[in-house]
Each structure stands twice: as C-alpha cells, then as structure tokens.
Amino acid sequence: MNKKFLSAILFGALMVSSTGTFVSCKDYDDDIDAINKELTDLKSKLSDLESKVNAGGAYVTKIESVDGGFKVSVSDGTSYNLTVASAAPGSKVVIDDKTGEISIDGKATGWFATTGEGEEAVDMTPYVKDGYWYFYDKAAKDFVKSEYKAAGDAYAVVKDGVVTLHMPDESGKMQSIVLPLTANALTAISLPAGLTIGNTVATDAAAEAISSAKAAKLDWKGPKGAIEKDQFLVGQIGVADLVVSPKNYDLSAQKLTLVDSKGNVAPVKVIATPNTFNSVIVGSRAASENGNWNLTVEMTDEVTADNINKVFKGTGANTGKEILYALCVNGIPYTAYDIAIKTKAPETSVAAITFAADKLSYIDAEGTEVKGATNAIELPVGTTTLKYADAKLYDSYITFEGTYKAKAEKLGVKADGMTVTVPQAASGETLDATVHMVNIGGVETTTSNTITLKLAGASIDTPTEISATEYKVMPNTDFTKVLPAILIDLGDALSKLDAATIEAVQNADQLSVVEAATQEGFIVASTANVFTNTTLTKYYKANAQGKKGAAWDASNDGLESLRFIEIAVATDAGTNNVAEDAKPGKYTLNLVIKDGTTVGNEIAKIAMPVNVTVPAFDDLFAATDAWTEGVYGARIYPSTNDALISMSNAYTAKSGVDANYNKIAYAFDKISNEAVGEVNASTQQVTLNKDVVYKDKALANSELKATASYSILNAITAYTGSGNDETTLKAIRKAFTVESSKFTVKLQTIFDGGKIVFYKDNAVVTGTVGIDADGKIAELTISGNKKQGLAINFLSADLAVNSTNVADSYPSDDANKLQGYAFGNSNAAAASDKQIKVTWSTGIPTVTVKEDASGLVFENSDSSSPTYETTLTATFEDATGIVYTSSIKVEKK
C-alpha cells in the first residue's frame, strides 16, 4: 500500500491566501524511525530560539517551507532550518482565500482550514493526532483522519499574528512553542476569569464597590491639592494581577482600554505598573522583569456623581447589571468579555476616617507586605512608599510634628507625600509621624492619627556562610523520626567573631534565626520570616565529643560557646510546624545577631544552608520475585465479571527501611487516550478497562506502562496554620512523594497455561490418545504415584475430567476445583467469579462428547463409520470473557 507522510506544514489560518508545503518521505515505514530521531535533535535549536524571543526581545520575521520542513527567520538576522534531512520535497498546499478549502497539488480536497468566524463558527485549523493529520470536512461537520501520516509530528501554524511550532521533545511528547511575528508582539495576557474591579478585586461579584461622594470645601495640603465645594471625589480602587507573554513585553508603553462587546470604551484610564512580586504593588519601573503586572483603573472626567452608578451598568433587561468588558491592547482585545467595574451611588454623609496602624503598609524590597501593628511600623533604610487602605480615602500624606520635626531633621529623615526616606545614619532610631488623611467627603482625620516609625537597624549584606546541613526526610512508623528536629552545626563560626561582637551579646533575644521573605518551600513555617526562639529554635553548646550538649544560656555562656541550633519540625503527625508550601530543595537560614533586643543593628550574620532531601524510590523498595528481567508479571483474576490485577506484591521494603509497601500508589499510562483501568489505592488492586485491554475475547494489550510512587508524609494530618485544609495536606504529601522509573506490567489472563492432558504411566502422552472400546477416555486416576487418564492441568495441578468435576452446575466443594476454580460444561450458566466454562468438540459432526462419572464419553451417530481419528478440543471461557483452547489427538479403532 502506498502510504503518504507529511513531516511539516505551514498554515496561515487567518491569512487565508497563504500557501504551504506538505513534505513527504519515501513510502516505507522503516524511514519513520530515522525521521523521528532527526526531529528530536532539534531541541537545542528550539531552546536557542525561545531564549532569543523571551529574554532578548527577538521576533520572527518570516516562516517559509523548505525541503524537509520549514525555515524560521529571526529579527537579529539569524535563521533556523527545522527540517528532516531524510525527507524529500512534497506536495504544494493552498488555502482558498474565500472558502478556506484546502487544495493539495492543485486538487480540491473537501477539507477546510478557516478561522471559525464564518457561518460554521468552528475553528478548522488542522492538527496531528496518533501520527496522522486530521482535517475539517464540512460535509461530515467534523474533523476526519486523513491518509497523510505526520512523520515526526512536526508542524507549524500561523495564526493571530504569531507562529506556533509543534515539535516533539526527546521523549516524543509534543510541545508547543509560541513565537511573535512582530517586534515585541504580545502573544497572550493572563488575567483572572470573571474579574470584578471595585474598591477590592474579586473573581466574582463579591468585590466591594468603589466609593465616591461630593466633597465639602477644604484647604487640603496633600499631593492632590485643595478641594473645592461639591468636587466629585472617588475613593481607592483595587489592583488586579496580570501576566503577559512574552515576559519582556512593555505593557505600560501601550494604549490600554476596557471595551464592551458593542465596541464602547469604558470611561476609565487603565493603568499597568510592573509587579516584580506577584500580588503586591511595587515602585514604578520602566517595564516588568518577569511578565507580571498590576492592573488598575482611574475614572475619567466623563464619570460624575450623577452617572457613576449608571455608566458601568447596562440598560433595559440588563439594568443594574455590570457591563462586561475585555482588556484591549492598542485596540485589540486580549481577554474575554468578563471584566466588570463595580460602583455604587455616591455617599451623602462621610465621617472622618479613624486611623488604624494595621491599615498602614508598604512592600519591602523582597516583595513582602509589611503592616503596622500596635501603633508602630518598622521602616527599612532607604526610600519607602506607604499606603493606607480605606475604601473612602481620597488623599494622604505624612509629616513630623513638634519635637519629632526637629529630630527628623537632625537624623535626615524626610517625608514627601506618603514616601519616607531613611538615611543609614538614622538606623535603630524611632520617630512619631502624623498621617494626614482626607476622605471622599472632604473630611480630614485630625485626631489619633500618629504612628511610631521604627527605623530599621543596619544590616549585613554578605553573611559568613557555613557548610550545608543535610536534612533527609525518611519514612518511619514513628512520625517524630520522619520529621525530626533540624540540627545545624555552626562549627567555629561564632568563636571566630571579634571580641567586641562576642561581648555585645548578653541576651538570647539579640539572636534570631531568619529566612528571606522571598524564600518559599522551606519545610518549617516561620512567623514573619523568623523562627521563634522559645517555640521553634533552641541553642546548645557542644559536649566533650563535639556533639550536641547542654542548652546554651546567654546570661552565663559566652557567644563563642554556642555551637548548635535546633529547629523543631514535628511532635507527631498532627502536631507539627510543617509549612503550607513545604517541599524538598536547597534553602538558606540566617543566624542574625544584633547589638540590641528591639530594632538594633546587625553586628554579625551567619548564613546556614539547609538541604531538604528525600530518598530515591529504589532506596526504599526492592522488587519482589514477581519480576522477570525488569518486567512485573500480573495474572488477571475475576471479581464477578470484572478483570482485576493486584500490585500488592510488586515491591517490598528494603532491609533497614521502615516503609510500608502497602501504601505505594500506582499510576498507569493511557492507551489511545483511554485509561487502562481504575486503581484502588487502599487495596492496590486495578480493575482493568476491558474495552481497552480486551478485544474479541482475547488480550489486546498485554503490556501496560506504569509508575509506582510513595508519599513519605502520607501520615501527616496537620500543618502550621489551620491544619484542616485537605487540599494543602495533599499538596504537602505530594511534594514529599518519591516515584519509581516507568516499568512494564506484563498481563497474564486468568487461565493462561491451562490445558487438557492425558497421562499414561505418569507421563503426558504427546501422540494420539486411544478411545476405549466402550467409547470412553477414562478420567485421571493415581495409583502407586502413577497418573493415568484425562485431566485439566493448570499451574502444575490436575483435575480429573468427569461429570462431578465438570458438571451442569459449577461444583462448590474445593475437592472438585482446580486451583480454586470450578468448571462447568456446556449446560452450565455463563461463568462468574472463579468459574470457567468448558465445552468439547471433535471436528466430526456425528461425534459428540459428554462427561460421565468416570471420564469423557464419545458418541457417534454414524454407525457406518465406527472408527475415526480426530482432534478433541476443549474451549474454556473465564468469567471476564477470555477464551482459551486446548486439544489432543484421539483415535477410535
């Protein structure tokens, strides 16, 4: 049969006059392996191409068909031939610019490739599945499998101003690489679906509405200037997180609008500011470094007190409902029409805002939100912009009043609006600041609006680093041994400090174990990035053997004698300090030593790396003798009519390892995108999907691909925090799950190996078996350890063939069963559970067979042919529907 292969295709689905090329290879299946091998070698080219686009800002200037594939030209002047060398020039493909119909070598195919914007409203872009090209057939109103094989499954689609390359990775799994076709082309925006922007932001109507009012006249000194009588003021508006692709795309340089489905532009100014850290607002930068942006809006002059509660809402049947907008970039919509602006009627009377320290906050250099507490807030050295959170706040600024004005001037601390600048010389000092606020009604807060600014002490940028502590999470029935305390050996790091530093430490509160605010995934949860001394952290001296000794006491022991730091992890499965995002990895904690117990200046810092690891799966479990040359053998067994296999004897714990092999989880690869079975996690049984595994009463897929996994923290029932969120617990268990390499499960059917045999003098007769003069083959008997007669043999055991053992109804006594299986004859019902139905045939229409009390009786209705030679066939059918046959030669003389 002449087979056609297509290794590359260029479709211009939106530019419907585009042409492309099918590249066909020789008509031999053997060439496919060679082509696939060549395609996997494209990894380095694709990696280089992605790097140029994502990091270097390059873009694709042209993509064109060449012999064996396609050529990608890049804006920096380079080009990449993504080809299959063994492929020959192929067919010319043209997409009709009016109908979208595909023609190959000048012949119309009846297949189409249109955008889905026509009357069919279907995206008809061709795709590859199971190694073949699928095309849209209008007559069938569905995609059809073509005769064209995809050699290597490599192809490109040009659509929506981008080119998507579909290429296999080293394992053969398809990957999609999206490349822009113009300079800095925006390929995608990720914004939460169903976004509502109000005073708060939510993905549903729960967002709080934006507040507004007509203000009283006020000679306001804040950044927004004096307020006129009846001036319309709008309160704070929430900020949404947004991600762009490619990540170097400068969203702030574009024209951003919110547009409804009718083309109406919302009366707001859309503002995008870079967000170096997700979910927090940072200072202004030219562009985002990681593709993350903050998105908010400001009302334009079109919005007034009279229309603010109407202009963002529908009319007619939609009166009162928020209009839904799409975010447009330079006039092009990049999101669904599901963004709402939530407002309410202007306030008529607005009381002054009551100041609360915890509503004052800022984002520190590591992206963490720092809030005020107990009428104080800590500020770092440098410039910090604070924000006061209140829906009705219009404007605010900070000043230093009275004696604190003089102190601030002396220290060089300055306030400009809500921005405070702290010089290094002011480290460790405190200042009282007045926070001036005016609300949307023009009412100023004039009382109880002071807060103490704690100016952070000097910090050490480059700490002294000690050797890493290795912390391996190992399984154990005693959970305290699964997650024992982390013991960090400081060695001589502290004894090497200068005498003045050692002398300065007189109190344990001058020491703290701190992790970076940006550090995620460390196994122990910290509080405000600090591991509390009394709860989590304990200090110890060394004993004579250099091991952990007596507790270290700051008031009696010198700093130089501190040798070990111990951080508690778990008391038991339900009482522990495990972090919500805990996972294995390399982390760093810092021992911070200050010259005071309040703010203080750092006088020493020790970086303490901690490597949290898990063992390999093969370190915990060994394969049992059920494996042969790396393949696990599993015999199917029935449950009613279902087909099951057991994985419970696949592995056993290695010597010295306290791991429970009954807690191993198994996952199986799909076949033709269908699950091969359902795994019962508690019993490790797999109920096979017979539609996939069976075919025509035989085994269609005898080899399944599987992986085994084991969660070392399977027993954990709590974590630091609420401890009752099962979703979080599952994530923690998964993070500390080890997995085997993929392996093969070789299936054996229930009665695989079963057969009929005839014994003579204890040996199986391999030739012809004679039928006695009375027309019978005698059942199996054993005399003097010698076997004689006819039997069913299975797994080295025999069952005599007679009307008791193979009956009209399945025998219930174990003595009449074979390896626990009962046999019924042609008169018995269909098999269920551990039953097997057997029927006999001879190949001679006149010769029939039936069981009697002592064997198998042959009856011949043709008296003219008293002698004959034929084959006796036993057909067995198990409860799951698998059929087996076994036969012997027989002769009647």
Side-chain angles (χ1 to χ4, degrees):
M1 177 179 172
N2 185 30
K3 297 180 179 179
K4 301 179 181 180
F5 297 92
L6 310 178
S7 61
I9 180 171
L10 173 61
F11 274 101
L14 290 185
M15 302 182 300
V16 293
S17 61
S18 299
T19 62
T21 301
F22 287 124
V23 181
S24 60
C25 70
K26 300 174 184 177
D27 296 317
Y28 301 101
D29 286 335
D30 292 343
D31 290 335
I32 293 299
D33 290 339
I35 294 173
N36 282 335
K37 182 179 184 302
E38 291 170 8
L39 285 170
T40 59
D41 293 336
L42 297 173
K43 180 181 178 181
S44 60
K45 291 183 180 179
L46 292 171
S47 177
D48 186 45
L49 189 53
E50 282 189 286
S51 176
K52 284 186 177 181
V53 170
N54 294 332
Y59 56 95
V60 175
T61 57
K62 182 189 294 185
I63 181 165
E64 55 193 315
S65 297
V66 297
D67 288 350
F70 39 83
K71 177 182 178 181
V72 178
S73 298
V74 186
S75 58
D76 65 357
T78 60
S79 62
Y80 298 83
N81 275 15
L82 307 179
T83 62
V84 181
S86 56
S91 303
K92 184 177 182 181
V93 180
V94 176
I95 305 172
D96 189 277
D97 60 356
K98 294 181 180 179
T99 67
E101 185 173 10
I102 299 170
S103 295
I104 301 178
D105 291 332
K107 295 181 180 180
T109 63
W111 298 327
F112 292 79
T114 65
T115 64
E117 295 177 354
E119 58 183 2
E120 295 85 6
V122 175
D123 186 349
M124 300 176 183
T125 306
Y127 61 88
V128 173
K129 179 183 177 183
D130 303 329
Y132 284 87
W133 281 98
Y134 282 70
F135 298 95
Y136 192 84
D137 188 318
K138 278 192 176 181
K141 295 185 177 180
D142 201 356
F143 283 88
V144 296
K145 181 179 180 180
S146 76
E147 61 185 324
Y148 293 98
K149 263 194 171 184
D153 290 3
Y155 63 103
V157 176
V158 178
K159 186 175 181 180
D160 294 334
V162 300
V163 58
T164 305
L165 307 180
H166 299 268
M167 309 292 292
D169 60 17
E170 295 165 305
S171 66
K173 183 177 180 182
M174 291 302 292
Q175 56 178 324
S176 299
I177 298 111
V178 179
L179 305 173
L181 284 173
T182 57
N184 295 319
L186 177 62
T187 60
I189 282 181
S190 176
L191 195 65
L195 185 69
T196 297
I197 300 175
N199 164 243
T200 59
V201 172
T203 54
D204 53 36
E208 295 180 14
I210 298 168
S211 296
S212 63
K214 287 184 177 181
K217 181 177 177 62
L218 178 67
D219 186 18
W220 174 247
K221 304 299 184 185
K224 294 183 178 180
I227 299 171
E228 300 299 325
K229 186 179 185 307
D230 290 335
Q231 183 177 339
F232 180 58
L233 306 181
V234 177
Q236 292 184 336
I237 299 175
V239 179
D241 292 336
L242 176 151
V243 181
V244 300
S245 180
K247 64 184 180 181
N248 64 330
Y249 185 80
D250 187 359
L251 196 63
S252 63
Q254 317 307 316
K255 181 182 179 181
L256 305 179
T257 52
L258 293 178
V259 180
D260 67 18
S261 58
K262 297 179 180 179
N264 300 312
V265 179
V268 293
K269 178 182 178 183
V270 183
I271 304 165
T273 54
N275 179 0
T276 304
F277 309 98
N278 284 328
S279 302
V280 295
I281 307 171
V282 298
S284 60
R285 290 187 177 88
S288 171
E289 299 172 356
N290 57 9
N292 297 320
W293 293 79
N294 294 129
L295 185 76
T296 190
V297 298
E298 288 181 1
M299 303 297 171
T300 67
D301 292 341
E302 297 175 54
V303 180
T304 66
D306 295 330
N307 69 11
I308 189 170
N309 202 31
K310 299 176 183 178
V311 70
F312 299 106
K313 292 182 173 63
T315 58
N318 294 316
T319 298
K321 296 180 181 179
E322 275 78 23
I323 295 171
L324 298 179
Y325 301 97
L327 176 62
C328 292
V329 180
N330 299 324
I332 300 173
Y334 275 86
T335 69
Y337 290 92
D338 62 357
I339 303 172
I341 306 292
K342 188 172 184 179
T343 59
K344 59 184 179 181
E347 307 276 343
T348 56
S349 177
V350 188
I353 295 171
T354 301
F355 179 79
D358 62 354
K359 290 188 176 182
L360 190 68
S361 66
Y362 66 91
I363 304 302
D364 68 14
E366 293 178 324
T368 302
E369 184 178 22
V370 180
K371 289 186 176 183
T374 319
N375 295 319
I377 190 168
E378 294 187 6
L379 293 186
V381 171
T383 299
T384 302
T385 299
L386 293 98
K387 175 185 177 182
Y388 191 85
D390 190 288
K392 299 177 182 180
L393 179 70
Y394 170 67
D395 198 12
S396 60
Y397 65 99
I398 290 173
T399 62
F400 299 105
E401 307 290 340
T403 59
Y404 290 103
K405 180 178 181 181
K407 185 176 181 180
E409 292 175 351
K410 181 179 179 181
L411 293 173
V413 178
K414 297 179 180 179
D416 181 9
M418 293 295 287
T419 299
V420 179
T421 301
V422 179
Q424 186 71 48
S427 297
E429 298 286 346
T430 60
L431 280 171
D432 279 5
T434 300
V435 182
H436 301 269
M437 298 183 293
V438 64
N439 65 20
I440 52 177
V443 181
E444 184 177 0
T445 299
T446 57
T447 59
S448 302
N449 57 333
T450 61
I451 188 168
T452 299
L453 305 182
K454 294 182 178 181
L455 309 182
S459 61
I460 296 174
D461 294 330
T462 307
T464 301
E465 185 168 318
I466 62 172
S467 299
T469 297
E470 300 297 331
Y471 184 77
K472 197 168 194 175
V473 181
M474 289 289 290
N476 200 292
T477 52
D478 181 353
F479 199 81
T480 61
K481 295 179 180 178
V482 178
L483 296 175
I486 299 170
L487 188 65
I488 300 172
D489 187 349
L490 295 170
D492 59 359
L494 296 182
S495 62
K496 285 184 175 181
L497 295 176
D498 60 83
T501 299
I502 293 174
E503 183 64 26
V505 178
Q506 301 294 323
N507 191 304
D509 288 345
Q510 293 176 246
L511 277 61
S512 58
V513 177
V514 181
E515 66 173 336
T518 54
Q519 180 166 286
E520 296 180 351
F522 186 61
I523 195 166
V524 183
S526 58
T527 301
N529 309 317
V530 177
F531 296 93
T532 309
N533 291 349
T534 55
T535 304
L536 297 177
T537 308
K538 299 185 185 303
Y539 302 114
Y540 295 91
K541 297 183 291 185
N543 60 20
Q545 291 75 39
K547 304 296 184 182
K548 173 187 163 185
W552 177 79
D553 181 0
S555 59
N556 297 311
D557 301 317
L559 181 63
E560 74 281 1
S561 66
L562 172 57
R563 173 71 179 271
F564 294 96
I565 298 176
E566 185 178 82
I567 302 174
V569 183
T571 303
D572 55 50
T575 308
N576 57 70
N577 304 306
V578 176
E580 296 183 19
D581 60 349
K583 57 182 177 290
K586 295 184 176 181
Y587 303 94
T588 298
L589 309 180
N590 290 300
L591 174 61
V592 177
I593 304 171
K594 295 185 176 181
D595 58 8
T597 59
T598 54
V599 178
N601 297 298
E602 293 180 4
I603 56 176
K605 184 184 287 185
I606 309 297
M608 306 177 295
V610 179
N611 298 335
V612 180
T613 62
V614 293
F617 183 88
D618 292 341
D619 292 337
L620 302 179
F621 300 102
T624 65
D625 57 8
W627 297 69
T628 302
E629 296 182 351
V631 175
Y632 175 67
R635 185 178 289 272
I636 298 170
Y637 64 94
S639 175
T640 309
N641 298 113
D642 288 334
L644 285 74
I645 61 172
S646 175
M647 301 299 295
S648 62
N649 64 335
Y651 293 98
T652 187
K654 284 190 170 181
S655 178
V657 175
D658 195 0
N660 187 350
Y661 67 88
N662 287 320
K663 295 293 185 180
I664 296 175
Y666 294 91
F668 289 79
D669 288 0
K670 292 182 178 181
I671 295 177
S672 299
N673 206 34
E674 292 285 341
V676 300
E678 182 177 344
V679 182
N680 185 315
S682 61
T683 64
Q684 297 179 314
Q685 294 173 323
V686 184
T687 302
L688 298 174
N689 182 350
K690 292 194 290 185
D691 290 339
V692 175
V693 179
Y694 285 13
K695 184 178 181 180
D696 298 331
K697 297 191 174 185
L699 201 59
N701 290 287
S702 62
E703 293 189 353
L704 310 180
K705 297 296 182 182
T707 52
S709 61
Y710 182 80
S711 175
I712 300 173
L713 297 187
N714 185 66
I716 191 172
T717 59
Y719 59 91
T720 299
S722 64
N724 58 6
D725 182 351
E726 187 60 29
T727 300
T728 301
L729 287 171
K730 285 180 180 179
I732 295 171
R733 294 177 191 129
K734 183 177 181 180
F736 287 87
T737 293
V738 295
E739 190 173 278
S740 72
S741 300
K742 188 165 291 187
F743 60 88
T744 299
V745 177
K746 178 72 173 179
L747 299 181
Q748 280 185 288
T749 53
I750 292 171
F751 198 56
D752 183 32
K755 57 188 176 182
I756 55 172
V757 294
F758 185 83
Y759 290 99
K760 183 178 182 180
D761 297 332
N762 218 37
V764 175
V765 174
T766 57
T768 302
V769 175
I771 301 173
D772 295 340
D774 60 356
K776 181 185 294 187
I777 295 179
E779 67 175 327
L780 171 70
T781 58
I782 302 175
S783 178
N785 291 327
K786 285 189 177 181
K787 296 179 180 180
Q788 306 283 349
L790 186 64
I792 301 173
N793 176 270
F794 179 49
L795 299 178
S796 302
D798 296 298
L799 180 70
V801 175
N802 56 45
S803 57
T804 302
N805 295 338
V806 183
D808 290 349
S809 60
Y810 297 95
S812 58
D813 293 341
D814 290 342
N816 304 117
K817 297 179 180 180
L818 179 59
Q819 300 289 19
Y821 285 90
F823 290 81
N825 60 26
S826 57
N827 294 322
S832 177
D833 285 317
K834 298 192 75 173
Q835 298 173 347
I836 296 176
K837 187 169 184 174
V838 57
T839 57
W840 308 96
S841 61
T842 64
I844 301 176
T846 60
V847 177
T848 58
V849 181
K850 66 178 182 180
E851 308 86 359
D852 76 355
S854 60
L856 206 57
V857 178
F858 291 74
E859 295 180 345
N860 186 1
S861 63
D862 185 0
S863 59
S864 64
S865 300
T867 63
Y868 53 85
E869 184 175 353
T870 188
T871 299
L872 172 65
T873 299
T875 300
F876 302 94
E877 183 167 357
D878 66 35
T880 69
I882 296 290
V883 171
Y884 318 75
T885 59
S886 175
S887 59
I888 59 174
K889 293 287 187 180
V890 297
E891 182 180 24
K892 179 70 170 67
K893 293 183 178 180

